[in-house]
Structures are given as structure tokens and as C-alpha cells.
Amino acid sequence: MYRYDEFDHQFVRERTAQFRDQADRRLSGALTEDEFRPLRLMNGLYLQLHAYMLRVAIPYGTLSSRQMRQLAYIADKWDRGYGHFTTRQNIQYNWIKLEDTADILAALAEVEMHAIQTSGNCIRNVTTDHWAGAAADEISDPRPVGELLRQWSSLHPEFSYLPRKFKIAVTGAPNDRAAVKVHDIGLRLHKNDAGAIGWEVMVGGGQGRTPMIAVTVRDFLPEKELVAYIEAIMRVYNLYGRRDNKYKARIKILVHEIGAEKFKAEVEAEYARRPEQTTHVEEKELQRIAAYFAPPVFEKLSRFTPAFEEAKLLHPGFARWARNNLAAHRVDGYTIVNISLKPEGGIPGDATAEQMRLMADLAERYSHDELRVSHPQNIILPHVRKDDALAIWQALVPAELATANYGLAGDIIACPGMDYCSLATARSIPISQAISRKFADLDVQEKIGPVKINISGCINACGHHHVGHIGILGLDKKGEEFYQITLGGSSTESASIGSILGPGFAGHEVAGAIEKILTTYVKLRQPGEEFLYAYRRLGPQPFKEALYAAA
Amino acid sequence: MSEIEKGQVMTANRLRDGEVVFLTRSGEWNERIDEAVLALEPQATAALEARAKDDVKATLVTGPYLFDAERVGGKIRALHMRERIRTLGPTVRLDLGKQAEGTAGAFAFKEA
Amino acid sequence: MPLLKNNAFIQDSWVHLGAEDPLPEGGNVSIPFSRLKNEWESLAKFPGQLGTLLSNTDHAEDVAHFLPHLALVILPFPAFVDGRAYSIARQIRLLGYRGELRATGNILPDQFQYMAQVGFSSFEVSERFPLEVWQQASKQMSLAYQRGLYRRVGEAEVWSERHEETAPETAPWEEQPHAG
Ligand code: SF4
């Protein structure tokens, strides 16, 4: 894991002092709200429905036990004993006071964390594959690049007042778990025939009210050129991105309006204009950072471990959990543990301080002191010996953290929606709870198989409904909440935007509608065909009939 | 008392801690909607707006606005879900917010 | 409006002409960029120093040709959240411009350091803030990660300092008087 050196420490300390001063000036009236808002947003502080909300960055989703414990401490001391893990590898606290915020930032700085640029029209927290460094399919760990970009983008003087927010995601594996194609910039690692690695640079993906899949502007950019090249992209966007209409201000609209070819030409021209610049520093810096991400020392274990197999025979509950929540590790005898933050009827992504501490303890004991926060709002123990999985499961069960639904219908992504968010047009959490209760029977969930249900409480799409296999968007119709269903979205390497199925539903009808969709799928699927592929083969018609025919 | 009056309530967030507050008859900001003024005519809403503007300048509150509400049996209730959630707390965590702190006023989600 | 330069309020020695104002005999004169382009043939013979006022939709490449003849470039921030001028400033500095680069418009202390870092060297500021506020603002952060920025003595450019042996001999910012 990356560790701060004296510069990094000083940087977050000074940044905290700077915010303390800004907050004081706001409270004294020296700063107006209009002047203060961008400053607090760039430190992760929003004003939501009930109070301020603080969004803390978990860079590339990686946490140590100590850091997780500090998050729990903050939840207890300054919030209401819980936090909400988001789809972009952040944690949000919902009951924060402005006057406490600088102290919280100082507590974060103690454990090498911050809330810098988790909001605002700047470069946001860089996200990566949550299985980075552990996944069996990985070419190379993308986190060093994530850290390089975190540093480079932090308080970038040129790119802190962009037309709109800017999100970068990085993946080092062919199976995209970081949703890079729906980011402003997506980076994907490739290895060529000669064994060299290079980055595919994709630009202009995004969700919100105009969802778009990113276009590739470079197929194979040498790693040492990443920073300079991204700087060229940023400059073109900063100069030409629209500022007259905030709904048209994201880079995807620029790419779309001037065309991918013209955009690419602008970027290449800007890149070519850079004065003769060496990349030695970037290369050395990347090497320095990469050393921190050297894999932990794994034991030599055999792939097949009798204790693990026996445990599954002895405990059917464990067997089911192992089947659904463990993923292939690149080292024999090890596994990736996916802890579901989606208990039946629960609030997706929420964890109590106690749960955080338990997960921190387990990570310290069994996972080389490492945890990950995943894009689908779960927590991951990346490096676990298969033989320890039973003990972990046994510890998770009483804490309601052992729900065996990873990747299934109950593993729902949901934004906070109108229960917390001031921009919401409808609630999302109660919809997710209703669906999760409807599919409480894990036998049913397993029979249905992998499916991603994503819910957003407004068109901003923080719940990624556009790229859910089943997407649900909460809207307001004459003062009543109602919900639009889309099918066929995906955020992976074969990304697609879901299409609206038909007229929307009232809140209490949604779970039933989802059930009908999934029943139809089970009836019509071919052996082994997952929901998304069945939908792509069948099209919307059978699902439309199932939902609307009788009405 | 079955009479229902419809009007508007001035709300904001308290600057220093973000707490949802409502403008009262005495010109103070209070955490309970029950204490709020229900402005029934334009003159009254204008007075609330003027007061709110001053208090923004005085750094007491931030982001003030009016929302539609009604008085039923002498008690005030927001008309729309969003404002109801602000006056009570999250519908998915009845243990949090005004509904849990005893500052929610007369109408709770449990009864709704 | 006070003019802030090298950590002090100074007298503006420039005359700022509009589109129609007659050209004086000499002295320091700044002219809107469109007029500068149109009247360049005659302006090139101007005995005093020339400067220009850009808009934040002008292209740095279009200005490039004139830069060697200019001693002042003014870039506006119509609103402090409109960040286009940061990029134009950087481009102009990357083109090798060494003269005064002035920020005007909605200039606030909390963005002041960013402006200095991209190469602005003077600032037209409002009466609202006393000098101490600006002096304070120029020291908010003593270090930055990005390379190639303008900075004051004692401020760290983290990546370069971490890999000192690769740092360039003369850093570009040392050739520049710094605003703060
Ligand atoms: S999608 Fe809308 S409701 Fe949900 S968190 Fe984002 S802004 Fe709020």
C-alpha cells in the first residue's frame, strides 16, 4: 500500500489548515456562500437535506485496517455511528457540522487520508478495479497509476475550475470492474505481442442525463506519457468545454458536439505543442510509487485445500457464501473475499462503525492488513488464505455481513436518494429494500444468477441506473415518486446504456415489476445464459409483454 | 378542528451545523416545523423572505427558501415528500433525524 | 482598483485603451486584442511599450505571433469559477512569454495562489481585501505536486524534489518575479 512521505503529510496538513481558515472566514461572514461553496465542495463538504455531508476519498478503493478504524472513529465521534460507501470508492457521512469539519479532516490526515476533490468542478477521486493486485485476470496492478494521478490532480492549479466535474477510472484487467467506459477518462491496460504494456485512453463516457460510452483516443499510450497526455486532454476540455449550460458542460458533450475525430485532433495538437519535456520525473515517481504496491509475501499453498472443501461440506451456509462471495485470486490457495453490504432489507453501502471495526480486524488478521471498497458498494478482503475463509465467515455472520448475494439480485447499487440527497426527485433506498425483500430467498437469487440492479434517485445517475442490467430511475410526477425501468445496461468492457422499457411505476409496484422481468428471463433463457446476454438476444419485447400486457 | 389552511413556510439550514430550521413568528429560526410561521398571503411571504435574506447576511443560515405546507388541526405539515423528509428525517432510518430527536412536530412517517 | 504585484499594491503605469480611443504619443499602452490585430501594421512602430487585453475565448496560438512585442498581457476571469484563463495563461507562458501577465475580473484570495502558479504576475483586485489578506493567501500551500509551475523560493514542487537528480538546472519559475 502507498505510504505518505513527508511531502504528502505536509500537503494534507496544510490543506486542512487552509480549510479551517476558509470555514472560519465563512462563519465570520468574510466569505459569502457563493464564494465558499466551491471551496467546501473541493474538500468534500456538501449541504444535503438534513445537514452537511462529508465525502471522504478512498483513493483507488484501498484501505488499511488502521484507516478503516479511523473511519469508524469519525462515524462515532462526529456522525451518527455509520457511513455510506459509494460507487466511486468514497465514504459519505450524513450528519456533519461545518464547525467540526476541519477537525475531521485533521483526523483523516493522521491516517493518510483526505476529502480533497471528492466534489466540485475539478478532477475527482481516481477509481480503479477493486480487485487490483489480487484478481486472477489482471495484467498489472493499476493502483500505482491511480496514485500518480491522485498526486498530479491534487490542487492542480490549472484544472480546479473546470466547466464541470471530471472523473477518471483505471483498470489493469481485461474484465472491466471499474466502469472505465462511462468515465470522463477511462484508462485500460494492454499488453502487446512483444510483452510491453501501454494504456488505452478513452474519453467522453458518462452517465447523468446524457449517458454515453467513451471513445478511444489512443490505443496504446506509453505509460511514461500518461501525465502529459492527460494534461493535454484536460487543457482542451478546460478551454472548450461548454460553460453556458451545466447540463452540457461535461467532456462527453464536447466530444459529441465537435466529433470524436476533431476532439482527438485538438488533443494531439495540444500534446504536440508541449515544450520539449522530459518524462524522467514521472517515470521515477511511478517507480517509487509502484514499489509500495509490491504484492504481499504469499505463502506457497496448493490450489486445492482440503480444510476449505471440508468446511463447505460441514456448513451449507458457508458453502453458499463461498460459492457466491469468493472470487479467484491470482495466487494458489488464496481467495478474494467479497463482503456484502447488502443484507436483506438493508441500506446498500451502509456500514456501522462496529461493522467497520470488525472488517478492519479481519483484514488485519487474515488479509495482509488490506481492505477494498468496491464500485458496487461492498467491502473486499483481497488476499485471504482459503483455509481462513471459514473463520471470516463465522465472524461475519453475527454482524450481518455474511449475506451470500454478491453479484446477485440482492446486491443492489442504490444512491442515497431523497432520504438524504437534496437533488433527488425520488427515494431510492426503499425501492432497493423492497426488491431485496422480494428476493430474500437466496435459492431464488442463485437460480436467477448474476444480475445487476442499479437505482438512482434522480437523473444525475449516482446509482448508475443507465448501466445496470436492470436500471431504476426515480422521478417526480406531479408531486408523486415514480420509477422508470431500463434494461440492458452494462458498465463492463462491453459497456452499453440501458433502454427504457415503457411507462414508469409507482414505488410500491417496482419490486413486483422486477420480479416479473426476472421470471420472464428465467423462462426464456438458454442454459447458462446470464440475464444481460439473454436480454441482448431477446430484446425488450418479451419483457414488455410481461410487464404491460395484462394492464 | 378539521379546518385546513394552505400556505408557505420559510426554511433554511443553520450555517454552522447544517441543521434544518424554520422561521418562526418571533423571527427566530427553530428546528421544529410546529413553531414555523405559515404564511398565507404574499405580504407574509415577502416578510419571511426579507428576514431570511438578512439572516443569510448575518451568517445565521444558508440556502433559505419557501415550501408549500398546510395547517391541519393547528399543526403544520409539509405538502411534498422532500420537505416532509427534511422536517422528520430519513424514511429508512426512523432512529435518526428530527423524528428521533423529538423535534419532528406532529406528523411522523409512522403515522403517515 | 488596486493593482497587486510582487506582494505590494502598486500604481498602474499602463494606459488601457478601448476599441476607439486615440493612441497616445508614447508610454505604456494596452489595447484590446482584436484592435491590436487589426492595427498591427501601424502599432508595430509605436514608440512605447505595448500590451493587450485578451478575452478568455481567445486562442493562445493566435496571440503567439505578437508575444515577443508585448510587455503586458491581460486575461480576464469574468467569474472566479470560470477557469479558462488558467489554461490560456499556462499556454502563453509555455510559448515563452516572459513579460507581465495580469489577471483581472473576479479575483479572490482563495484562487490567488493557483493564478500565480500558472504564471500570472500581477492582479487587479477589488478594494474589499487589505494587503495582508493577499499576503496570507499567497502562502496557503507551500508545496504542489505538479511540475513546471511558478513558485516562490522555499515552495516545494514535490515530484521534482523527490527525484532531485532529475530536476532541471535552472527552474523556470526562478526566472520569473513572483507575484506573491
Ligand atoms: S442520483 Fe440524484 S438522488 Fe441519487 S445521489 Fe445522485 S444526485 Fe442524489
Side-chain angles (χ1 to χ4, degrees):
Chain A
M1 261 184 77
Y2 186 69
R3 296 303 314 264
Y4 279 13
D5 68 0
E6 72 215 79
F7 291 111
D8 301 312
H9 274 293
Q10 193 185 338
F11 184 83
V12 292
R13 266 200 311 268
E14 287 184 13
R15 178 63 165 173
T16 303
Q18 182 190 38
F19 182 76
R20 191 181 296 279
D21 171 60
Q22 289 166 340
D24 287 347
R25 280 188 282 137
R26 174 68 191 113
L27 288 168
S28 78
L31 281 174
T32 67
E33 187 66 18
D34 282 345
E35 289 166 353
F36 181 58
R37 189 180 303 111
L39 305 178
R40 71 165 154 77
L41 290 175
M42 273 186 250
N43 283 287
L45 194 65
Y46 282 76
L47 190 57
Q48 291 290 27
L49 285 186
H50 311 292
Y52 291 95
M53 178 270 274
L54 182 67
R55 181 183 291 157
V56 174
I58 299 167
Y60 32 88
T62 300
L63 282 170
S64 68
S65 322
R66 176 164 171 254
Q67 291 173 321
M68 184 64 118
R69 285 191 194 107
Q70 191 79 339
L71 295 180
Y73 170 76
I74 289 169
D76 276 337
K77 174 149 188 188
W78 288 290
D79 203 83
R80 306 282 160 94
Y82 72 107
H84 174 76
F85 291 98
T86 76
T87 55
R88 291 205 75 256
Q89 301 180 318
N90 298 300
I91 181 171
Q92 296 181 174
Y93 296 104
N94 294 301
W95 305 90
I96 295 298
K97 297 177 177 165
L98 172 58
E99 54 198 6
D100 289 338
T101 305
D103 290 341
I104 302 174
L105 297 180
L108 288 169
E110 266 173 39
V111 295
E112 308 182 10
M113 293 183 78
H114 59 71
I116 296 169
Q117 288 167 214
T118 53
S119 179
N121 293 335
C122 49
I123 302 170
R124 303 285 188 88
N125 186 29
V126 176
T127 56
T128 64
D129 184 351
H130 43 258
W131 291 349
D137 63 349
E138 186 172 86
I139 300 168
S140 174
D141 191 336
R143 289 175 301 163
V145 163
E147 173 61 21
L148 187 80
L149 295 179
R150 181 191 75 81
Q151 296 186 15
W152 161 79
S153 62
S154 291
L155 274 59
H156 198 299
E158 188 181 346
F159 307 129
S160 288
Y161 291 93
L162 297 169
R164 201 76 176 81
K165 58 187 166 184
F166 203 94
K167 300 177 181 176
I168 303 178
V170 192
T171 178
N175 294 302
D176 178 6
R177 289 170 287 264
V180 301
K181 285 192 172 178
V182 287
H183 275 76
D184 296 283
I185 291 182
L187 299 174
R188 182 162 158 199
L189 195 63
H190 292 281
K191 196 180 227 157
N192 67 13
D193 295 340
I197 60 161
W199 290 91
E200 181 182 353
V201 182
M202 289 163 268
V203 181
Q207 304 193 49
R209 64 186 64 209
T210 342
M212 288 189 190
I213 304 294
V215 297
T216 297
V217 293
R218 277 288 189 109
D219 296 317
F220 200 77
L221 183 72
E223 188 158 77
K224 61 182 184 183
E225 292 183 50
L226 261 179
V227 169
Y229 193 80
I230 291 177
E231 202 149 314
I233 296 175
M234 298 309 304
R235 187 166 298 143
V236 168
Y237 171 55
N238 192 35
L239 287 170
Y240 305 124
R242 286 181 63 171
R243 290 174 188 263
D244 57 331
N245 177 341
K246 84 170 194 184
Y247 301 118
K248 299 197 166 160
R250 297 286 291 270
I251 196 173
K252 62 190 172 189
I253 304 291
L254 176 66
V255 174
H256 184 74
E257 284 185 352
I258 70 174
E261 282 314 307
K262 174 98 175 21
F263 176 81
K264 218 166 127 171
E266 289 282 354
V267 170
E268 290 299 336
E270 184 57 43
Y271 189 54
R273 267 197 287 274
R274 76 195 188 287
E276 220 27 72
Q277 197 186 65
T278 69
T279 54
H280 288 166
V281 172
E282 282 79 359
E283 281 172 71
K284 290 221 162 189
E285 182 59 18
L286 195 57
Q287 278 167 19
R288 185 189 76 89
I289 292 169
Y292 288 103
F293 290 96
V297 184
F298 294 113
E299 292 168 51
K300 264 215 157 350
L301 302 171
S302 72
R303 178 170 306 185
F304 182 84
T305 84
F308 178 66
E309 301 304 325
E310 208 170 289
K312 288 197 281 189
L313 290 174
L314 270 169
H315 308 275
F318 173 67
R320 188 201 295 273
W321 181 78
R323 191 158 64 230
N324 295 328
N325 289 40
L326 300 184
H329 198 281
R330 59 192 184 80
V331 177
D332 284 347
Y334 282 82
T335 184
I336 299 171
V337 172
N338 298 294
I339 300 174
S340 169
L341 295 185
K342 322 286 174 69
E344 181 198 332
I347 299 179
D350 275 16
T352 65
E354 265 156 70
Q355 289 176 322
M356 290 182 217
R357 278 188 284 267
L358 172 69
M359 293 186 284
D361 292 347
L362 292 173
E364 188 170 56
R365 180 133 182 232
Y366 299 114
S367 182
H368 291 271
D369 205 29
E370 230 184 285
L371 303 112
R372 305 289 176 78
V373 179
S374 79
H375 156 62
Q377 300 177 287
N378 293 306
I379 300 293
I380 287 154
L381 304 178
H383 306 299
V384 170
R385 291 183 349 171
K386 277 185 176 171
D387 286 355
D388 291 331
L390 178 65
I392 291 175
W393 177 74
Q394 283 167 334
L396 292 174
V397 170
E400 290 186 50
L401 287 170
T403 314
N405 61 1
Y406 193 81
L408 302 179
D411 187 3
I412 299 165
I413 292 179
C415 79
M418 202 188 270
D419 281 296
Y420 293 100
C421 175
S422 68
L423 299 171
T425 41
R427 287 174 292 166
S428 24
I429 297 166
I431 302 301
S432 134
Q433 291 174 316
I435 297 170
S436 134
R437 289 199 185 102
K438 177 121 329 212
F439 295 99
D441 185 343
L442 285 164
D443 287 335
V444 172
Q445 285 195 43
E446 286 195 309
K447 193 169 146 222
I448 294 166
V451 60
K452 289 192 193 320
I453 303 176
N454 296 359
I455 311 174
S456 306
C458 82
I459 192 67
N460 287 329
C462 305
H464 292 210
H465 65 275
H466 294 301
V467 292
H469 300 167
I470 300 176
I472 300 167
L473 166 62
L475 294 165
D476 174 294
K477 192 160 139 194
K478 299 198 185 87
E480 296 293 325
E481 297 165 295
F482 91 108
Y483 298 86
Q484 216 167 51
I485 297 178
T486 53
L487 294 185
S490 163
S491 65
T492 62
E493 59 287 354
S494 66
S496 54
I497 305 295
S499 334
I500 298 172
L501 200 56
F505 295 88
H508 67 273
E509 298 167 336
V510 175
I514 303 304
E515 189 177 34
K516 276 188 199 153
I517 290 168
L518 289 174
T519 313
T520 306
Y521 149 69
V522 170
K523 223 182 310 166
L524 298 178
R525 72 179 163 195
Q526 292 174 350
E529 188 180 40
E530 289 182 12
F531 176 81
L532 179 66
Y533 298 98
Y535 173 81
R536 284 179 177 171
R537 176 175 59 82
L538 294 162
Q541 208 44 43
F543 301 99
K544 270 190 190 161
E545 277 162 25
L547 275 191
Y548 301 108
Chain B
M1 282 215 281
S2 59
E3 190 195 337
I4 298 181
E5 290 173 297
K6 289 197 191 300
Q8 290 193 302
V9 168
M10 176 60 77
T11 184
N13 292 78
R14 203 153 57 204
L15 180 66
R16 61 183 171 79
D17 62 2
E19 176 76 37
V20 173
V21 287
F22 309 95
L23 198 50
T24 66
R25 199 162 290 282
S26 58
E28 307 279 294
W29 294 90
N30 194 292
E31 295 160 21
R32 297 166 184 265
I33 191 170
D34 279 350
E35 309 284 327
V37 192
L38 185 70
L40 300 172
E41 75 264 5
Q43 228 180 338
T45 54
L48 294 181
E49 279 171 336
R51 178 74 207 200
K53 219 172 137 193
D54 286 350
D55 287 347
V56 166
K57 268 211 198 96
T59 70
L60 290 176
V61 294
T62 185
Y65 61 92
L66 292 159
F67 66 85
D68 296 334
E70 60 188 7
R71 187 173 7 238
V72 188
K75 302 285 184 193
I76 297 175
R77 160 163 81 176
L79 283 187
H80 299 298
M81 179 59 89
R82 180 182 195 273
E83 296 313 320
R84 251 179 236 184
I85 290 173
R86 282 180 82 245
T87 60
L88 295 169
T91 66
V92 292
R93 288 293 302 265
L94 300 180
D95 59 326
L96 294 175
K98 294 179 188 293
Q99 58 198 351
E101 284 153 18
T103 49
F107 299 94
F109 286 120
K110 288 168 255 196
E111 305 158 39
Chain C
M1 272 210 175
L3 181 63
L4 181 68
K5 196 175 174 181
N6 293 327
N7 237 342
F9 287 142
I10 59 159
Q11 205 58 44
D12 189 2
S13 63
W14 288 80
V15 175
H16 303 277
L17 297 190
E20 306 287 334
D21 301 328
L23 201 66
E25 299 285 301
N28 297 339
V29 176
S30 98
I31 296 169
F33 184 53
S34 53
R35 179 171 174 192
L36 186 90
K37 276 189 293 191
N38 289 336
E39 300 175 17
W40 183 244
E41 262 177 52
S42 58
L43 283 173
K45 292 175 223 122
F46 183 70
Q49 295 205 90
L50 283 174
T52 193
L53 168 67
L54 300 178
S55 86
N56 71 357
T57 50
D58 283 324
H59 298 277
E61 312 140 62
D62 299 340
V63 190
H65 166 69
F66 305 96
L67 287 176
H69 313 284
L70 299 176
L72 174 70
V73 175
I74 308 174
L75 266 167
F77 288 84
F80 77 93
V81 289
D82 182 344
R84 280 175 278 200
Y86 291 106
S87 283
I88 302 171
R90 197 119 197 253
Q91 287 178 314
I92 283 176
R93 288 301 190 195
L94 290 174
L95 284 165
Y97 176 71
R98 290 273 177 264
E100 179 175 342
L101 185 55
R102 185 181 294 186
T104 183
N106 190 195
I107 313 295
L108 297 170
D110 289 292
Q111 290 78 41
F112 179 57
Q113 208 170 15
Y114 288 155
M115 293 181 186
Q117 286 176 322
V118 298
F120 283 102
S121 53
S122 68
F123 308 84
E124 262 178 48
V125 298
S126 84
E127 318 271 354
R128 192 174 138 200
F129 306 100
L131 188 60
E132 306 85 74
V133 170
W134 296 105
Q135 290 170 336
Q136 206 48 46
S138 76
K139 295 188 292 212
Q140 285 190 352
M141 298 290 298
S142 74
L143 67 185
Y145 287 105
Q146 300 78 19
R147 291 210 295 141
L149 302 181
Y150 291 78
R151 58 173 199 178
R152 297 178 316 168
V153 179
E155 282 176 7
E157 199 176 72
V158 177
W159 287 0
S160 303
E161 302 222 351
R162 274 184 185 145
H163 308 284
E164 232 167 19
E165 71 279 20
T166 57
E169 287 279 293
T170 30
W173 51 86
E174 285 165 0
E175 300 170 32
Q176 289 292 323
H178 192 289

